Amino acid sequence: MTALAQDTSISLRDSFPIGNSEGVLCQVQDRSIENKAKAGMFDRSWAVVCRDSAKPVGFVYSSRSSEQKLLDRITPNRDEPINCADNPSQASLSGFRHTECRLSTEPVAYSLIRGQQDGVSYVAEGLAAYDSATLLALQSILNDSIAEGRIDVASTSVEDPFAFARVQAATLKPYQALSEGYRRNLSGDYAEAAAFFETLQQRTSGMEGEEINPDEYLMNRALQKSNLGEFAEADELFEQARTLGSEDPQIERLLRNFEAMHLLNQGRFNAAIDRLNTPLKTSLVEQIARSDGLEITAPISSRINGSVHTRGLLSFVDEQKLSAPERTEIIDAQALQLLGTAQRINGDSPAARISLVSAYNRAIAVRDGRVTSTTRMRAQILAELALISEAKGDFGEAEQLLRDGLNLLSIQYPATRAVNGAKARLAAFLLRRGQEAEARQLYDQVVDSSLGKRSAISGMTNQLAPYFAMLAADETAADQFFKAAQILIRPGVAETQAMLSRELSGGTNEAARLFRQSTNLTRSIERLRIRFSALNQSEQTPSIRKQSDDLATEIEALEKDQQLTLVRLSEFPQYRAVSDSFLSLDELRAAMQPDEAYMRMAIVGSDIFMFYTDQAEAKTYRVPLKAQALDGRVDTIRASVSVFENGQYVTYPFDIEAARALYSDLFTPVSNQLASKDHLIFEPDGAMLRLPINLLVTDDASVSQYLVRTESIDADFFDFSDVKWLGRDVDISTAVSARSFADARKAPQSKASRQYLGLGKNQSIFASTTISGIRGSSQNMSANCEWPLNQWNNPISDSELQEARSLIGAENSNVITGSAFTDTAILANENIRDYRILHFATHGLVTAPNPSCPAKPALLTSFGEQGSDGLLAFDEIFDLKLDADIVILSACDTAGKASIAATREAGVSSGGGTALDGLVRSFIGAGGRSVLASHWPAPDDFRATERLINGLFSDGRGRSITGALRNSQRDLMNDPATSHPYYWAGFSLIGDGARPFLPGVNELMSETESSVPTTQAALK
């Protein structure tokens, strides 16, 4: 849902992107001097901001004075002095000269470019490592149009629009940043809009002037969270906005509209109607003006359908701010649009048409429809009216309305998600009308422009479901389906894994160190910004102001360090390249071994699709289940494995029939192909992120035999030793995206000098100690978000760790337990990167001690030095410096999620709230190439977990990781006492399961000779 901008469009000369065909790397932002005492020093000034850099990398200035006078004005306003040579050379731009300089305080190259054009003096300057961006910005300004060119700068991220938008928002004046935030929302870039509004709220806390109204930023933050599906966080922000109780009529109207959008996003249509009809405190709601039909006048029709050469008629060139009455009129028009949408969904088409037509007419009445911020709203109204016309059977009118809406957006917001959404709506309509060729062409355009962009299809997945269904039904379209599936939203761990692969691609220790340093600094800056924002929202006592000032100074220093780190990183060419926006099917197959299959689940809207490929064939099919039904199936199966009831975990006889039915729905079309494979790489989606597929049952005979056997009175309902599980005959590993899988497979093996480090058995804090039957949190609830101290009084036995060490050999391993096993000691241990296998056997505290607390997963440790909380927490794990091929998390629910709030507090700007986005993500972010994690409590009954993990070490030499895991799981499957999936199926391998677990003798001898990973084929 879209908010309405306060101002009309910012022109090219204010703000524009520059970048490569692979994606926007940099943005040029207007940098008008905020201090009015300095006004007039420059005619114009701009900042160049680039992805990953926490500060602007360059600046462009213009003035009608001489070059020297312009330079004299710039000099005292630089953040730090520069020293320049006396011999300028010819710059790449005709008529401009380039002078080599250096920062006075750092040995960093700096460029100064100056010249004149049409009587105006220009100076462009900045870090020399970003010359390509600064020159492209200058050329664009000189041409008054975006110049084509390649930007060659260092980049650590795969795609992080949130962090990039933060830097952009920090360089603009507040009123400009507000307008730009609205523009990102209107163009469908919700994550970027959220970053703008959050940064604005942080920047303007306590500011005066500039017509600042932080209430508006807070409401916009709430709306963007809702648009991204983060409803719980949106609820909290809206609650904060309501408590502010603003008396501003516009703010009250915006809150009404935004809350209605939030309700619509959640499908609560009646509640949205009630909210829109709630009387305002500041004025009465106007009655809806009845209209017999939508009237588009000839001038407006001309603007809608104008050619490229006549688009000035729809260029929205009026740059003056809207008056208060004008903005109020547009906000009320939007309320009518939202009302009409809810009425249509509820089946009241006549009332919906009246509301929608009235909304459209009121919107275009303001400045003859030339207000930029109404474009998206008008297109949405046309789309709603098209649905009403289609339902009446007036297909010609419906198609024309959809095309008019697409034209509107294409002119004002070209190449944006808003345009993609309009294309998808039109394509879905055309597909319903049998016009498959044009529909497919439009859908292909949406896919091509969305590849490589995070959250690219937020809000339009339902329109894409017919496209995926069409591809799935086409036996020749498997490669296009695979390509299209890569635009779907993935867990945040996918980005973290891709970043680790990028880090490991450095090839040298110094390159990898700088990469890690840059990402760590970025996280530290984000964490401090959150603290800074919280302080500014507190009562401003002298102590709070002092803390705030100190934090601001610390943030500024870290931003400088981070930027200089990127400058040094730019010396390594491999970090100056932008990765491809998608992975082709041929590239995926090239990364696979002959005995492997890759399967990708894709949930689009409520539909579920499966994609299968090996090196020889590919297949796509639609699953005969809806997403909601899949959730129910998974809940049913998990409830028979482990469920918390009456203060304890309970295991019931496994629902073998549900497991068989789910296998049939998901895998039957490729069961013959799977039977010939040794390794299945599975990329789950939706509910399947919470369920390991190794416990699915592959044949009907297993079910029949179990049901017959359990008919007797003395039958053992927990004996499943004869069941043919999927995980019995095939190695299984979990991938989080095709790109991250392929990148992880290319990554070099760990260079760690020692094999194994085991950590666990925390020191009790009470005199008596008991060994728990389940290593996980008890559900004791504290009054706040701190875990009760009795959690530390039932340490896990270290026998699992000691046996693993004895199997590997004491000379090549180490175990840390008791008082040495503390959070502070682990975080301070610089030798932890010397181990290629890390094994934690301790309690996992995952679900939060109180339902109102954010899920911030952690591993329980002993209490250490001052500042220790006895927890190795999600955010702290990111700070570890690992070089591990595998991290084993022998604890409860370690494959679970971290909340979005906890993820942001960790300084990570994406993901969260999804399975695998918790401890798994943090250990990958710390340098773990793969993680073995649990989906439910890890049982100690029958020594099940100990036997499972130690089975890896006792028979894992010379095997792949997943091969060692399957071998150990089969021993438990075959034992009637531990054949229930609760005991053996809970652990999943996230990462490249074909890597060697424990190298054989030959591999150990060659490890020092080569860093190329041993493939599964070579191990067999």
Side-chain angles (χ1 to χ4, degrees):
M1 285 292 180
T2 56
L4 295 173
Q6 176 177 346
D7 305 320
T8 51
S9 176
I10 296 179
S11 70
L12 165 66
R13 290 177 62 85
D14 289 307
S15 173
F16 56 92
I18 53 177
N20 306 328
S21 58
E22 298 93 337
V24 174
L25 291 178
C26 301
Q27 183 91 7
V28 181
Q29 306 279 20
D30 177 59
R31 190 182 166 88
S32 302
I33 301 298
E34 296 187 23
N35 188 336
K36 295 181 180 179
K38 297 180 181 179
M41 294 182 63
F42 318 107
D43 289 349
R44 296 292 297 274
S45 65
W46 297 263
V48 182
V49 295
C50 290
R51 200 165 72 191
D52 294 334
S53 178
K55 298 181 67 177
V57 300
F59 305 94
V60 181
Y61 305 90
S62 71
S63 174
R64 295 190 178 277
S65 63
S66 67
E67 289 180 30
Q68 189 57 51
K69 287 184 178 179
L70 178 56
L71 282 170
D72 291 342
R73 293 168 182 167
I74 294 171
T75 299
N77 289 286
R78 293 191 183 104
D79 289 340
E80 57 182 297
I82 60 174
N83 298 320
C84 299
D86 295 327
N87 53 339
S89 59
Q90 177 65 41
S92 58
L93 292 176
S94 177
F96 283 77
R97 302 179 306 283
H98 175 269
T99 302
E100 295 182 358
C101 309
R102 300 188 80 81
L103 296 179
S104 297
T105 57
E106 299 282 348
V108 175
Y110 196 88
S111 292
L112 184 65
I113 301 161
R114 51 181 168 166
Q116 287 192 327
Q117 179 173 295
D118 298 331
V120 178
S121 298
Y122 292 90
V123 171
E125 62 177 36
L127 297 168
Y130 290 87
D131 275 355
S132 59
T134 305
L135 282 167
L136 198 57
L138 174 60
Q139 188 173 355
S140 298
I141 291 166
L142 293 172
N143 297 345
D144 199 19
S145 64
I146 299 176
E148 298 292 332
R150 180 172 182 83
I151 294 176
D152 187 25
V153 300
S155 176
T156 58
S157 67
V158 179
E159 173 69 13
D160 192 351
F162 186 91
F164 188 18
R166 262 190 173 284
V167 182
Q168 298 172 55
T171 65
L172 290 170
K173 292 183 72 176
Y175 82 86
Q176 291 173 316
L178 177 62
S179 294
E180 188 66 15
Y182 274 120
R183 284 175 54 128
R184 302 304 170 94
N185 170 260
L186 290 166
S187 63
D189 297 315
Y190 300 131
E192 296 178 33
F196 266 87
F197 293 123
E198 183 174 320
T199 303
L200 274 168
Q201 189 177 18
Q202 293 173 1
R203 284 180 63 196
T204 59
S205 295
M207 281 183 64
E208 297 179 357
E210 298 289 355
E211 299 179 359
I212 301 289
N213 192 334
D215 296 359
E216 189 168 345
Y217 308 149
L218 179 62
M219 290 186 303
N220 271 288
R221 281 184 61 199
L223 177 60
Q224 304 318 314
K225 294 297 183 183
S226 177
N227 286 337
L228 293 169
E230 300 170 11
F231 299 132
E233 191 167 354
D235 283 336
E236 294 179 6
L237 293 170
F238 276 124
E239 181 61 32
Q240 293 178 36
R242 284 191 292 271
T243 59
L244 295 174
S246 175
E247 297 299 324
D248 186 330
Q250 291 184 6
I251 295 297
E252 186 183 10
R253 282 173 162 79
L254 285 175
L255 182 59
R256 172 198 64 195
N257 289 10
F258 289 6
E259 287 190 319
M261 294 179 201
H262 178 45
L263 293 167
L264 288 172
N265 285 340
Q266 299 172 82
R268 300 170 60 188
F269 308 118
N270 288 326
I273 292 173
D274 291 342
R275 180 65 182 95
L276 289 165
N277 287 327
T278 302
L280 298 173
K281 296 178 182 178
T282 52
S283 66
L284 295 176
V285 182
E286 295 185 21
Q287 295 296 315
I288 296 173
R290 180 171 292 275
S291 176
D292 293 332
L294 174 63
E295 296 181 6
I296 299 180
T297 63
I300 293 177
S301 176
S302 174
R303 289 203 295 272
I304 289 176
N305 299 300
S307 68
V308 174
H309 302 291
T310 62
R311 283 180 182 174
L313 293 170
L314 193 61
S315 60
F316 305 95
V317 294
D318 188 350
E319 296 180 12
Q320 299 179 16
K321 291 184 179 180
L322 294 170
S323 67
E326 287 174 326
R327 193 181 187 209
T328 298
E329 180 69 6
I330 291 174
I331 295 172
D332 283 343
Q334 186 186 48
L336 287 171
Q337 174 224 342
L338 298 172
L339 181 63
T341 298
Q343 289 169 332
R344 180 193 63 78
I345 295 172
N346 271 358
D348 191 353
S349 294
R353 184 176 178 85
I354 291 171
S355 299
L356 293 166
V357 169
S358 299
Y360 197 97
N361 287 336
R362 290 179 66 166
I364 62 174
V366 179
R367 301 195 185 185
D368 195 25
R370 291 183 296 113
V371 180
T372 303
S373 61
T374 65
T375 306
R376 182 86 183 274
M377 179 180 70
R378 289 158 60 189
Q380 289 173 330
I381 292 172
L382 294 176
E384 290 291 326
L385 289 168
L387 289 172
I388 294 174
S389 296
E390 183 181 5
K392 291 193 317 181
D394 195 342
F395 304 118
E397 180 178 84
E399 181 175 342
Q400 188 58 52
L401 289 168
L402 289 172
R403 291 190 186 278
D404 288 344
L406 176 57
N407 287 338
L408 269 172
L409 293 169
S410 297
I411 293 169
Q412 188 57 40
Y413 298 111
T416 62
R417 296 175 196 181
V419 171
N420 282 342
K423 286 182 177 179
R425 283 192 294 271
L426 176 58
F429 171 83
L430 293 174
L431 203 57
R432 291 193 295 272
R433 303 303 307 150
Q435 302 178 50
E436 183 174 319
E438 185 182 359
R440 185 159 180 171
Q441 183 181 26
L442 287 168
Y443 277 131
D444 288 346
Q445 291 173 8
V446 172
V447 170
D448 288 342
S449 65
S450 300
L451 286 165
K453 299 176 182 178
R454 186 193 299 164
S455 303
I457 59 168
S458 294
M460 61 174 172
T461 52
N462 287 331
Q463 281 85 21
L464 290 173
Y467 175 59
F468 280 88
M470 176 177 61
L471 295 178
D474 184 351
E475 294 181 357
T476 67
D479 54 347
Q480 180 62 20
F481 183 97
F482 176 67
K483 177 181 178 180
Q486 293 177 65
I487 70 174
L488 302 176
I489 298 172
R490 307 305 302 147
V493 65
E495 180 176 307
T496 301
Q497 193 171 63
M499 289 187 66
L500 174 62
S501 298
R502 188 159 165 76
E503 174 189 334
L504 296 173
S505 71
T508 69
N509 291 336
E510 177 63 10
R513 184 191 69 79
L514 288 171
F515 188 102
R516 172 59 62 89
Q517 179 174 301
S518 175
T519 55
N520 285 345
L521 284 168
T522 299
R523 287 184 52 248
S524 296
I525 292 167
E526 289 299 315
R527 285 185 288 191
L528 290 180
R529 281 173 173 163
I530 290 174
R531 288 174 54 192
F532 180 77
S533 177
L535 283 174
N536 284 342
Q537 294 175 40
S538 305
E539 183 181 353
Q540 294 299 294
T541 64
S543 174
I544 292 295
R545 283 194 292 271
K546 174 67 165 55
Q547 292 180 52
S548 181
D549 291 343
D550 291 345
L551 266 181
T553 302
E554 186 177 357
I555 290 171
E556 185 176 359
L558 288 177
E559 287 176 340
K560 180 179 178 181
D561 289 345
Q562 190 261 5
Q563 187 176 67
L564 295 179
T565 299
L566 280 173
V567 169
R568 291 193 287 272
L569 190 65
S570 67
E571 298 171 7
F572 298 91
Q574 60 270 37
Y575 290 131
R576 301 174 77 93
V578 179
S579 62
D580 294 335
S581 58
F582 78 101
L583 187 76
S584 70
L585 181 55
D586 287 341
E587 289 172 323
L588 174 65
R589 286 171 163 171
M592 296 169 59
Q593 299 299 323
D595 60 352
E596 291 181 325
Y598 189 101
M599 293 199 71
R600 202 277 198 216
M601 171 180 276
I603 297 180
V604 189
S606 61
D607 294 332
I608 305 173
F609 302 92
M610 295 289 279
F611 167 82
Y612 169 94
T613 189
D614 53 32
Q615 287 192 335
E617 66 173 311
K619 182 182 181 70
T620 307
Y621 54 94
R622 191 172 185 170
V623 173
L625 277 179
K626 293 295 185 180
Q628 186 175 2
L630 177 64
D631 270 305
R633 291 274 190 92
V634 169
D635 289 341
T636 296
I637 294 172
R638 283 189 58 110
S640 72
V641 174
S642 180
V643 63
F644 193 78
E645 292 181 349
N646 301 320
Q648 62 182 349
Y649 286 99
V650 178
T651 297
Y652 289 97
F654 183 66
D655 196 333
I656 189 172
E657 292 173 285
R660 171 58 183 157
L662 186 54
Y663 175 87
S664 296
D665 287 333
L666 297 182
F667 295 104
T668 292
V670 292
S671 57
N672 291 335
Q673 290 92 328
L674 290 177
S676 65
K677 300 302 177 185
D678 288 335
H679 183 198
L680 171 59
I681 303 116
F682 181 58
E683 184 183 342
D685 198 2
M688 291 307 294
L689 286 163
R690 302 186 284 116
L691 187 74
I693 61 171
N694 55 2
L695 54 58
L696 298 182
V697 181
T698 61
D699 70 337
D700 293 325
S702 294
V703 180
S704 298
Q705 291 169 7
Y706 175 81
L707 294 177
V708 170
R709 181 170 53 80
T710 54
E711 287 178 353
S712 63
I713 298 176
D714 58 348
D716 184 354
F717 287 87
F718 286 82
D719 181 0
F720 296 90
S721 55
D722 295 327
V723 174
K724 190 174 181 181
W725 310 104
L726 177 60
R728 179 181 289 277
D729 297 318
V730 63
D731 297 345
I732 298 172
S733 58
T734 302
V736 287
S737 76
R739 165 62 71 187
S740 60
F741 161 75
D743 288 345
R745 180 145 288 188
K746 295 176 186 176
Q749 281 185 258
S750 165
K751 297 179 181 178
S753 58
R754 305 189 72 183
Q755 283 291 320
Y756 174 83
L757 175 63
L759 305 102
K761 195 179 181 182
N762 67 280
Q763 187 176 47
S764 301
I765 57 174
F766 300 132
S768 61
T769 301
T770 60
I771 301 297
S772 71
I774 295 174
R775 56 188 72 177
S777 64
S778 67
Q779 298 294 312
N780 298 333
M781 296 298 177
S782 59
N784 50 38
C785 293
E786 294 182 1
W787 291 96
L789 291 179
N790 63 5
Q791 294 287 350
W792 281 261
N793 199 36
N794 54 347
I796 301 300
S797 169
D798 65 348
S799 58
E800 183 180 309
L801 305 174
Q802 298 297 347
E803 184 173 348
R805 184 186 187 192
S806 67
L807 290 168
I808 291 175
E811 71 284 353
N812 205 22
S813 60
N814 190 21
V815 170
I816 298 175
T817 60
S819 60
F821 173 53
T822 69
D823 53 333
T824 50
I826 293 170
L827 293 169
N829 187 348
E830 296 182 357
N831 298 324
I832 198 168
R833 67 178 295 109
D834 294 339
Y835 297 90
R836 62 173 298 272
I837 300 176
L838 260 65
H839 177 187
F840 288 86
T842 184
H843 292 292
L845 307 181
V846 177
T847 58
N850 190 306
S852 63
C853 301
K856 184 178 180 180
L859 296 175
L860 187 144
T861 69
S862 302
F863 282 89
E865 301 174 1
Q866 185 175 4
S868 168
D869 60 1
L871 295 173
L872 187 62
F874 169 77
D875 54 341
E876 295 172 326
I877 294 167
F878 272 100
D879 294 327
L880 296 175
K881 297 177 178 63
L882 307 182
D883 185 17
D885 279 330
I886 181 171
V887 179
I888 301 171
L889 302 180
S890 185
C892 279
D893 296 303
T894 50
K897 65 184 180 181
S899 68
I900 294 169
T903 302
R904 301 298 178 267
E905 288 174 5
V908 181
S909 62
S910 65
T914 303
L916 307 183
D917 269 359
L919 293 173
V920 170
R921 184 179 190 181
S922 60
F923 274 105
I924 289 175
R929 289 156 176 77
S930 60
V931 179
L932 187 66
S934 59
H935 283 276
W936 48 71
D940 278 347
D941 300 328
F942 309 110
R943 296 178 50 247
T945 300
E946 182 181 335
R947 289 164 56 192
L948 177 68
I949 300 301
N950 287 146
L952 296 172
F953 297 95
S954 62
D955 197 23
R957 196 169 297 281
R959 296 182 185 272
S960 67
I961 298 173
T962 49
L965 178 61
R966 173 162 60 117
N967 197 55
S968 184
Q969 287 174 330
R970 276 191 301 204
D971 288 342
L972 295 177
M973 291 179 199
N974 294 333
D975 181 350
T978 56
S979 58
H980 189 294
Y982 172 60
Y983 297 105
W984 59 266
F987 284 91
S988 294
L989 191 284
I990 297 92
D992 183 8
R995 286 177 177 269
F997 180 63
L998 286 175
V1001 176
N1002 292 336
E1003 286 85 6
L1004 281 171
M1005 292 176 62
S1006 64
E1007 270 188 345
T1008 57
E1009 301 171 9
S1010 173
S1011 62
V1012 179
T1014 306
T1015 65
Q1016 185 181 40
L1019 289 170
K1020 294 193 173 183

